[in-house]
């Protein structure tokens, strides 16, 4: 939709209406801030920030002197109540995260729900978002995609989450931390095979922005050769049943070895763990999960 320029100019000169403004901020490049975002941050009565110190750098850069207050995962409940009380008195509050769009893997959802319940207006102010930025430049399908946030930190839960992904060509988008990316890629290879195509988007919009595209085994080797892996990452993949044969379950492999070679379950499990390149305890936990799902 194209907005008439005169309407845009008129709206910019009007006083800011009461309500909660969800303001997206740059994820790296300060040029990605919008004119509307700057106007709202300057006109608001208060800016609720994930980290006031981080947001203050942005405000100082653009000469904005609006008061700030912290709003993060550790004070989300009581602060949401306090901010909602102010919204009921027709305050104009801007909500920002450290970078990107508030509420997307960042605090904000609880405040939005409370504001709506209180009858306050809620205004989205679009802008930078790492997941969408990575998706549109990934080369993967954008017709159908799911954003999952961060994968579980624990290995067993992460592997289960990957195994449960639909294999229908839909693009799956995740955030991942640099200290976990190597383990996550190992899990993807174990679940989907060495040739599973993935995309890693690193340091988006920043000086060292990088897109890595290719088979998961190749990207694992590429990252392993680096002295250090830095920067938050967006991980994308689109498992396809036709192109990627699902690996046999551990339980099925153990049963096959017991039948074909006469091994007991313990020795069969050791063999499977060794061939998959995982520890015996991890293989045992996965075997237990598979057996519990069948009950």
């Amino acid at each position: 939709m194209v907005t008439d320029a005169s309407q845009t100019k008129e709206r910019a000169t009007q006083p800011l209406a009461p309500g909660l403004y969800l303001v997206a901020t740059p994820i790296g490049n300060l040029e990605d801030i919008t004119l509307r975002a700057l106007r709202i941050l300057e006109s608001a009565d208060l800016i609720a920030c994930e980290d006031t110190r981080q947001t203050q750098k942005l405000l100082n850069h653009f000469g904005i002197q609006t008061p700030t207050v912290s709003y993060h995962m550790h004070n989300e409940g009581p602060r949401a109540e306090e901010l909602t009380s102010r919204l009921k008195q027709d305050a104009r509050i801007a909500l920002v995260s450290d970078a990107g769009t508030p509420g997307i893997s960042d605090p904000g959802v609880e405040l939005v729900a409370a504001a709506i319940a209180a009858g306050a207006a809620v205004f989205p102010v679009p802008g930078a978002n790492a997941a969408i930025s990575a998706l549109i430049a990934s080369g993967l399908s954008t017709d159908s995609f799911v954003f999952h946030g961060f994968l579980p930190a624990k290995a067993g839960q992460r592997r289960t989450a990957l195994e449960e992904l639909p294999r229908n060509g839909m693009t799956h988008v995740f955030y991942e931390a640099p200290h976990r990316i190597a383990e996550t890629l190992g899990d993807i290879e174990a679940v989907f095979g060495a040739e599973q195509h993935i995309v890693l988007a690193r340091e988006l919009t920043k000086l060292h922005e990088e897109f890595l595209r290719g088979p998961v085994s190749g990207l694992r080797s590429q990252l392993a050769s680096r002295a250090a892996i830095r920067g938050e990452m967006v991980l994308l993949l689109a498992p396809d049943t036709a192109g990627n044969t699902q690996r046999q379950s551990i339980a099925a492999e153990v049963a096959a070895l017991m039948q074909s070679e006469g091994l007991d379950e313990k020795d069969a499990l050791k063999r499977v763990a060794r061939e998959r390149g995982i520890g015996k305890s991890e293989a045992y936990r996965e075997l237990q999960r598979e057996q519990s799902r069948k009950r």
Side-chain angles (χ1 to χ4, degrees), residues 12-35:
T13 59
Q14 292 176 348
L16 196 63
L20 176 65
Y21 292 81
L22 311 174
V23 182
T25 55
I27 57 177
N29 192 323
L30 290 180
E31 292 180 354
D32 291 336
I33 193 76
T34 68
L35 295 176

Side-chain angles (χ1 to χ4, degrees), residues 41-52:
L41 292 175
E42 190 169 28
S43 304
D45 299 312
L46 183 69
I47 302 173
C49 321
E50 185 178 5
D51 185 334
T52 54

Side-chain angles (χ1 to χ4, degrees), residues 13-271:
T13 59
Q14 292 176 348
L16 196 63
L20 176 65
Y21 292 81
L22 311 174
V23 182
T25 55
I27 57 177
N29 192 323
L30 290 180
E31 292 180 354
D32 291 336
I33 193 76
T34 68
L35 295 176
R36 183 184 176 206
L38 290 175
R39 177 173 63 87
I40 290 170
L41 292 175
E42 190 169 28
S43 304
D45 299 312
L46 183 69
I47 302 173
C49 321
E50 185 178 5
D51 185 334
T52 54
R53 296 165 300 179
Q54 187 70 21
T55 299
Q56 198 60 54
K57 297 176 186 177
L58 177 71
L59 300 181
N60 290 343
H61 181 83
F62 290 105
I64 296 172
Q65 299 180 356
T66 305
T68 61
V69 65
S70 64
Y71 176 81
H72 47 71
M73 62 181 294
H74 301 296
N75 72 352
E76 198 165 2
R79 188 71 83 194
E81 184 177 342
E82 175 188 325
L83 294 173
T84 302
S85 178
R86 296 192 61 165
L87 288 170
K88 289 179 180 179
Q89 300 172 18
D90 290 337
R92 304 165 303 171
I93 298 176
L95 173 66
V96 299
S97 61
D98 287 349
T101 302
I104 305 298
S105 285
D106 281 322
V109 174
E110 189 168 339
L111 178 56
V112 171
I116 293 172
V122 177
F123 305 98
V125 184
N129 176 267
I132 296 299
S133 299
L135 176 65
I136 61 175
S138 67
L140 300 176
S141 173
T142 59
D143 291 337
S144 180
F145 64 91
V146 178
F147 172 66
H148 299 271
F150 283 90
L151 280 161
K154 294 184 178 179
Q157 295 175 357
R158 183 171 59 242
R159 182 77 66 89
T160 298
L162 290 169
E163 290 172 344
E164 293 175 348
L165 292 180
R167 297 167 182 259
N168 55 7
M170 177 186 295
T171 300
H172 297 276
V173 186
F174 301 91
Y175 288 158
E176 190 53 282
H179 66 276
R180 285 199 302 265
I181 189 63
E183 293 180 2
T184 297
L185 295 185
D187 289 336
I188 290 174
E189 183 170 345
V191 173
F192 299 107
E195 296 305 310
Q196 172 63 53
H197 181 82
I198 65 167
V199 178
L200 282 178
R202 191 181 69 84
E203 294 284 80
L204 286 172
T205 79
K206 299 177 183 177
L207 180 63
H208 300 293
E209 176 179 280
E210 179 181 35
F211 278 85
L212 303 175
R213 304 175 178 90
V216 61
S217 57
L219 267 61
R220 285 185 70 192
S221 299
Q222 189 172 345
L223 291 180
S225 66
R226 298 186 178 186
I229 305 173
R230 297 187 177 90
E232 296 292 340
M233 295 185 175
V234 184
L235 166 66
L236 307 96
L237 68 157
D240 189 338
T241 302
N244 298 284
T245 303
Q246 185 173 1
R247 191 169 192 173
Q248 194 176 29
S249 70
I250 286 181
E253 287 189 39
V254 168
L257 286 172
M258 292 173 66
Q259 182 176 4
S260 63
E261 300 189 24
L263 299 177
D264 60 25
E265 184 178 77
K266 183 177 179 180
D267 289 337
L269 187 61
K270 286 182 181 178
R271 171 88 68 84

